Each structure stands twice: as structure tokens, then as C-alpha cells.
Amino acid sequence: MDKTTEDALREAALRYHETPEPGKLAIRVTKPMATQRDLSLAYSPGVAEACLRIRDEPDDAYRYTGKGNRVAVISNGTAVLGLGNIGAAASKPVMEGKVALFKKFANIDGFDIEVNESDPVKLAEIVIALEPTFGAVNLEDIKAPECFVVERLCKERMGIPVFHDDQHGTAIVVAAAAINALQIAGKTFGDAKIVSTGGGAAGIACLNLLCDLGVKRENIWLYDIGGLCHLGRDDLDDTKRSYARPTDDKTLAEALAGADMFLGLSAPGLLTGEMIAPMAKNPIIFALANPRPEIFPDEARDARADAIVATGRSDYPNQVNNVLCFPFIFRGALDVGATQINEEMKIACAHAIADLARQTSSAEAAAVYRGERMVFGRDYLIPKPFDPRLLGQIAAAVAKAATETGVARRPLPDPEAYRAKLDGSVFRSTMLMKPVFEAARSSSRRLVFAEGEDERVLRAAQSVVQEGVDRPILIGRPDVMAARIEREGLAIRPGKDFEICDPNNDPRYRDYWQTYHALMERRGVTPELARTIIRTNTTAIAAVMVHRGDADSLICGTFGQYLWHLRYVAQVLSGGPEKLRPVGALSPVILEQGVIFIADSQVNHEPTAEQVAETAIGAARHIKRFGIVPKVALLSHSVFGSLDTDSARKMRRALEILDEREVDFEYEGEMHADHALDADLRARIFPNSRLTGQANCLIFANVDAASGSRNILKQLTGGLEVGPILMGMGNKAHIVSPSVTPRGLLNIAALAGTPVQHYA
């Protein structure tokens, strides 16, 4: 990095920490505090009831306060990041950052506490005194050997987990990487010879955990600033002495000859290519000094092309990063009320991390790390921090281990249900889509993806297979799909896991273009044009496949304009004995407080009153598919007859049509959106409303209003859209938006894979 770039980075980092307000953290209130009654419940006199309950039963603090989701991040600033002993106050940005990572990755509320105390016994006393406030303690950036004393005293006297992340977090991620590196190298822990430089807190913790995994102490050579740790030295503390060799018989270079693994948590440039050249076959080199490792990966591979290398840097493969561990191990420990984080929980965490790297990378991580090939192997030993599956996989494994080893106050009754709950907190559509997926798994419907070459479609197709929804059909060129599957490291197999329709070479081509021509010859489509369309237009091909019964439902729209796709879908599939025709598009938008359904966001630009009523009926039918009771509001600038505008008259007529049809769901109109969403406000304006509570489906008078509202919700509130769902086509076609994600495609596939009897 040149000086100009370094200077720019420094300035950007300072601005990041200073603006728009200083620091990286804030506190928010989780309960209503808008009325005098709210205040009386939150504080005096109501708060006394919670206090008395906790006095009588101390564990009720986990029931009536936030203790069970609160971690103290405590440091005295004596060993910060690579900056050294900079003091407690200067360590605060790092501790705030740690708290921010807890919140970002595991939704844990942390508080940073910087303490001006270097005496380990006194520091331990301070930490111990904080136990009533927190559910767990994360010790951070305390220098060795004092950190060992602080942790030991705290663990002995506290009934909550105490975890020194510099030690154990590093050790867990190193262990996870080692599990996979040894597998790739064809070696075992029991036979591995390990040479380590670094007798600090992290280095010793790594060796301890590797021994728990099966490494033999007699196969470990530990070096520190004084050279080889051996029994003849009188400057070794107890932790180093436990790894001391009988005699001072080898230099570092000599010990590396024939070694299977080098573990470095020491100083930059300590290793050379000449030193690692005589290591055993497939040498494992974890050079973790930061920011400059003991040896750079390029130099290591120049000396040994078969080397498996990890560093602590983000600009090389296999970054050993504690964020893969600490948020999730704390999540699991807190959720079962663990009294400690024991060795079994650490080992479970390491195996969970290692196992995730062996799975196909997630679409979400691939989007963040675009351009990187995240396929298990020498350059991908451990998953990336932004893989959303980390939370469910690791926390569930840790909670299960805590339960099985008897340190959980609230043992897990159902580990799989717990994991599903965690996944649902990350993948926000999970709970909404649960009944849809259950219905889809019990069916057998053939889905065709029109844009089969799209990477998102390929990932979605793999998920369709894994979820057991069905064996999909993909339209596209086989060689292009195969190349992209290989590039992304997907496990899906063309021809085995999914069928292929190749527009350039499909034996059904003649049948398909003739079918399309027969449908369209009285609408100006010549045989030549029909042949061209069925050779080049994958949406038309998919529609013909559904029309002919070669597929049950199609999914298209990953590129292009919605109405362009709708044109071909409607041309081929409208009419027939089922009298299918596009009614409208329904967009479920998942917000923090729940889901809201928006219609019609795509199909009818200026719908008639009849079309509004049909949209409401279709929307209610779809809402029931999610296990939700529909409550439909017809929106207008008018409020229950206050204005005589076009939209007001349209919505009033739509209301009359719904009355005439005697539909089986709640509906009301015409009204403003705030009246639809606030029952108290609505009652003050119109006390005799037939709609109870908050509306969950908003029907707009035109596409502009619906589409605008949908996009505002998504952008300003972080709302997640499922769909849009095309109504009126008998579940035979769905058109997504170009911004759709692989998970969004999977959700649509589940909807498309639901049998008609579940659909109606």
C-alpha cells in the first residue's frame, strides 16, 4: 500500500469514527414509552414488581431484564491489536468495534468497559463485581501472562461465561482451519508434528485446543523470544513449561525439517522459504502475525508449491479472523444460560466452523465477496465472516454442547428447532415462508427457470434440490451453465439434479415453435418469427413448456422489464379452460415489526373497480397461504367518503363489489394508509369500521402508488420483499424483479411448487 493510499485510509477511518456522531454505538429502548402509563410501568411504581421478583429469585433477572442478552467487553488496553500497551482510554475504539460486531453478527447487546488497572488481581475483582449486570464477559486485549490470572480468577468466582477472545477465539478459528487443512493434507492430529512460535496468550490457547483435538504434546516444538522452550530454562511460566522440551536440541530451522504444521503468532518475517522447504509433504503454514505475517503466502508457495497457507490478513485467502467465532459462541452460551464456556463448547464451535467451509458457499456470502472463489480446498479452509449460516450452525452446536455437558441453566429441548429459530432471525423470510415450503415439499411440481444461465438461478436451483421442493428445469446453454457451476463451486449436477432445455439444441424445438405459432398466428406472428422467438426468447420457451405440460410452472424476470415478460406469459398461458389471466402482482414486504402485503405493484397501471376487487380477492387468497389472516384496506386520498375524486369513487365501487360477492375476509375502504395501519386513529374517524385491528394488505388505486410505496418501504426501513407474486395465472407463472436474490428465487420456487389445491 503506497503512502497516498495509507493517508487516505487514515482520514477515512477517522471520519468514520467521528461522523455523523462520535463513536460506533448507541442505546435504544425496547419498550413503549409514549404515555404516562408506559412511564409508570417502566419506572416507578411498576418497576418495583420486577425488582421484588428478582430479589426472591435471582435467575429471574434473565426474565425481566436484558441480562441474558448482554455481554461486557472489558479491557485495560495493555495489548491492543498490534498497537501494544496503549492504555485503557485509547483502547475504547477497539472495544466499541467489538461490541458492534456482537450486535451485527449475533444481535447481542454488548457494553464496552475500559478499566485503568494493570494489576491482574485487582482487575479480576472489578470484573467479578460486575456479574449482576451481564450474562457473560468477554475479556479483550489484556497482555500475557496477566490475562491468564484475570481469566482464571473470574472463572473460579463467577457463575457466568468468561471468555478471553484473544486466547480462545483465536484458538477456535485456528483449530477449525487446522481440521480442514489436515483433511486436505491427508494427515491426522494424532500424527502431526507442530512447530509453533509465540508463547503468548493466543499461542498457548491454540496449542491447548489442538491437544484437545488429538495432537500429542511430545509432537510440539514451542519457540518464544528466548528460543526453544525447554526444561533447562528458568524464565518459563507454567503455561510455557507445560510444552517445554527435555533439552535445547534444535533451532527453529532444524525443528521445521519434517514438520507437518507451522503455527506462528509471533513476529513478522520470522520464516524464510529456505526454512520451510524441508517440511513434510503438504505443509500447513499458519503465519498469523499481524499486520505482517511470519512469511507471506507468495513466498511460502514459492518455496513449497504444495503448502497450505493461512494468515491474519484479509487480502489473502484463509484469513484467521476471530469474528468467525466469538459472536456465535456467546449467542449459544447466552441462549441456554451457560455458566461457563467449556472445552467441549469450544471444540463444537471449531467443528461447526470447519464443517461450514466444506459446504457450498452461501449466495449471500458470494454477493459480499464477489470475484472470490469460495470452494472448499487449499485456499478456502474456513468460511467468510458474512456467511449468514454461521449464526445457526455455530450457536446451535455450542448450545447443544453446553446442554450435553451440564453447564446450561436452560437446556435445549430441541436443538433443530433452536437452529431453525436462529436461521429465521438471519433469513427474514424463513418464518413467513415456512408453511409454503411445507406444502411444496409434499407436492410434485415441475418448475422451469427461464434464465437458467444466471448465477442466481443456478444457486436457487441447488437450493430447490436441497430443500426437496423438486427437480427443476433450467433453460440455457449447457456449457455456459457447467462453467458457472464450476466457477461458483456449486454441488448441483446438470442432467442429474436438474433438467436442461438448450434453445440451440433441443429435440422439441420444432414442436415448441409450431405450438407458439398456432397460438399466435392470428396476432401477426409468422412461422419464421415463431422460430426466431423460440430460439432466442427463454420466457416464451418456458411458457410453451408449461402450456404443453412439460412443466407445471415457470419463473422468469431476472433481467428485463416486468411487463415485457408478462406479455409472453399472458400470450401463451391466458385463457384456456381455466380462463387464466393476470389479475395483479402482490408484494409481501417483511419489516422489523411484521409483514405487509402491497398490491398491485406491477400489472394494471390504472385498474378499474372490478380489477381492484379481483386484486383484493386474489391477495387474500395468497395471504392465507402464509398462515396469516388477511385484513385488506382499499387506499385512497379520500377517507370514508370525504372526497369525490376518481380514486375515491373507484375504491367505493370496489367495496360494493366485494360486498356483493360476500367474500370471507375482512376488508374496508376507502381510507388513508395511516388509518389502515392505526386502528385507534381509524376508530376516531370512523368508529363503525368493519376492519378490526391493523390492516396487513394495502390495495392501491394505481401501480405508481403501489410500486412507490413498496420501494419506499424496502429502502427506508430495510424491508425484504418476497415476490412479487403474479396473481390470476393459476400458479403457472411467476415474474421476479431483476434485483432478486437467490433466496428470493427459492421463495418464489416454493410458491410455484405449491399444488393448486393449496393455492386456491
Side-chain angles (χ1 to χ4, degrees), residues 423-440:
D423 286 339
S425 70
V426 177
F427 302 110
R428 287 185 292 161
S429 62
T430 299
M431 299 311 295
L432 177 68
M433 293 297 300
K434 184 177 179 181
V436 178
F437 273 102
E438 289 174 352

Side-chain angles (χ1 to χ4, degrees), residues 278-333:
M279 289 181 71
K281 182 181 179 182
N282 293 318
I284 299 165
I285 300 169
F286 288 179
L288 306 180
N290 243 337
R292 292 186 62 243
E294 289 81 358
I295 186 170
F296 277 94
D298 297 342
E299 184 182 353
R301 291 201 178 95
D302 285 343
R304 287 295 301 267
D306 58 342
I308 302 169
V309 187
T311 70
R313 295 172 60 112
S314 61
D315 54 348
Y316 287 99
N318 299 325
Q319 182 194 20
V320 173
N321 189 333
N322 288 14
V323 78
L324 288 172
C325 164
F326 72 82
F328 315 114
I329 197 168
F330 273 96
R331 180 75 278 159

Side-chain angles (χ1 to χ4, degrees), residues 76-88 90-91 118 141 143 146:
N76 62 3
T78 54
V80 178
L81 277 180
L83 303 175
N85 187 350
I86 60 174
S91 75
S118 58
D141 292 349
K143 72 181 179 72
E146 288 88 340

Side-chain angles (χ1 to χ4, degrees), residues 482-719:
R484 291 177 180 173
I485 288 170
E486 169 63 23
R487 183 187 67 197
E488 299 300 322
L490 304 180
I492 197 167
R493 296 160 296 180
K496 186 173 180 62
D497 295 317
F498 65 91
E499 297 178 28
I500 297 175
C501 174
D502 180 3
N504 294 329
N505 185 25
D506 191 288
R508 299 167 293 186
Y509 170 68
R510 183 181 181 87
D511 294 334
Y512 283 4
W513 79 254
Q514 288 182 340
T515 297
Y516 183 73
H517 177 254
L519 292 168
M520 299 298 297
E521 63 180 336
R522 290 189 177 273
R523 284 186 266 182
V525 174
T526 64
E528 182 179 357
L529 181 56
R531 284 193 290 268
T532 300
I533 289 173
I534 298 302
R535 185 71 78 188
T536 60
N537 186 325
T538 57
T539 296
I541 296 169
V544 169
M545 292 182 77
V546 173
H547 174 77
R548 290 174 56 87
D550 294 341
D552 296 309
S553 187
L554 73 90
I555 298 170
C556 63
T558 59
F559 64 86
Q561 206 274 335
Y562 190 97
L563 293 179
W564 182 90
H565 290 280
L566 182 60
R567 172 190 173 192
Y568 291 98
V569 168
Q571 283 177 349
V572 177
L573 297 178
S574 291
E578 296 171 282
K579 298 181 180 178
L580 301 177
R581 59 185 174 81
V583 166
L586 179 68
S587 294
V589 181
I590 302 172
L591 308 173
E592 185 174 338
Q593 61 269 42
V595 61
I596 192 81
F597 295 84
I598 304 292
D600 164 24
S601 58
Q602 299 286 357
V603 177
N604 298 304
H605 188 264
E606 288 289 346
T608 64
E610 289 74 14
Q611 288 172 326
V612 169
E614 287 181 341
T615 296
I617 293 169
R621 184 170 66 246
H622 278 280
I623 292 169
K624 292 176 184 177
R625 299 176 69 191
F626 298 101
I628 297 173
V629 176
K631 296 189 176 187
V632 179
L634 307 181
L635 300 189
S636 167
H637 186 53
S638 173
V639 182
F640 300 113
S642 64
L643 297 174
D644 192 30
T645 61
D646 289 342
S647 72
R649 288 191 293 270
K650 180 195 299 184
M651 290 308 194
R652 285 198 287 271
R653 176 56 189 147
L655 192 74
E656 293 172 355
I657 294 171
L658 292 173
D659 289 341
E660 293 164 2
R661 296 192 183 181
E662 299 181 349
V663 297
D664 63 348
F665 57 88
E666 287 188 32
Y667 58 93
E668 185 59 283
E670 80 284 9
M671 69 181 91
H672 290 176
D674 54 351
H675 294 89
L677 299 174
D678 187 336
D680 293 336
L681 176 61
R682 185 169 65 249
R684 290 199 295 272
I685 300 295
F686 192 69
N688 297 315
S689 171
R690 70 184 86 186
L691 185 65
T692 61
Q694 182 184 67
N696 54 25
C697 180
L698 307 180
I699 310 292
F700 289 83
N702 58 50
V703 160
D704 291 340
S707 180
S709 299
R710 157 180 157 263
N711 288 326
I712 289 170
L713 281 174
K714 288 164 59 179
Q715 292 300 318
L716 295 185
T717 69

